[in-house]
Amino acid sequence: QVQLVESGGGLVQAGGSLTLSCVASGRTFRRYATGWIRQAPGKEREFVAAISWSGGTTYYADSVKGRFTIVRDNAKNTVYLQMNSLKPEDMAVYYCVADSRVNPSRIATIEEYEYWGQGTQVTVSS
């Protein structure tokens, strides 16, 4: 079992940057695919970015391509989401997710992930 703790959310002006961090407990985190899902009020959950356990496969939603970068540091049991050029529409609660059984072809499928963090709020002012 893995426990995930996010940090790094906050208030930023449009065009600014934030880096979210997700620290995982457990020695086997390096075998877990992981990613970030966001949900804004009144909207469906959106898979923002994902990375395979090896780091060899990544996924980005079209809405964040070129602006967000997902990176993992298995030595630190941590995954990061670097967010640049933030827009008001990026405002949401961001959740870190992980699972060891993710089919590589479904790396960006929400239902593939069993473990979720508590979420961190990102607010972007216009």
Side-chain angles (χ1 to χ4, degrees):
Q1 189 168 353
V2 171
Q3 291 185 326
L4 306 172
V5 179
E6 305 102 328
S7 62
L11 173 64
V12 64
Q13 287 188 331
S17 298
L18 280 175
T19 297
L20 305 183
S21 300
C22 173
V23 179
S25 63
R27 294 177 294 175
T28 61
F29 177 69
R30 64 184 182 277
R31 294 296 184 183
Y32 282 62
T34 185
W36 294 89
I37 293 168
R38 69 185 180 187
Q39 186 163 27
K43 294 187 177 181
E44 293 188 355
R45 294 177 299 182
E46 178 186 18
F47 213 123
V48 175
I51 188 166
S52 62
W53 67 270
S54 67
T57 301
T58 56
Y59 162 87
Y60 295 97
D62 288 341
S63 57
V64 306
K65 279 181 182 176
R67 299 188 297 121
F68 290 13
T69 302
I70 187 169
V71 176
R72 67 187 299 156
D73 185 340
N74 287 338
K76 296 182 178 179
N77 275 11
T78 302
V79 61
Y80 305 94
L81 185 67
Q82 174 67 43
M83 305 185 295
N84 298 324
S85 303
L86 282 161
K87 304 175 180 180
E89 51 264 43
D90 294 318
M91 185 163 58
V93 177
Y94 284 70
Y95 298 92
C96 177
V97 295
D99 204 294
S100 63
R101 300 159 297 177
V102 175
N103 186 316
S105 66
R106 293 169 55 84
I107 194 173
T109 302
I110 293 174
E111 291 74 20
E112 288 287 304
Y113 292 85
E114 178 178 358
Y115 301 105
W116 290 59
Q118 81 286 355
T120 186
Q121 176 71 47
V122 172
T123 303
V124 184
S125 62
S126 57

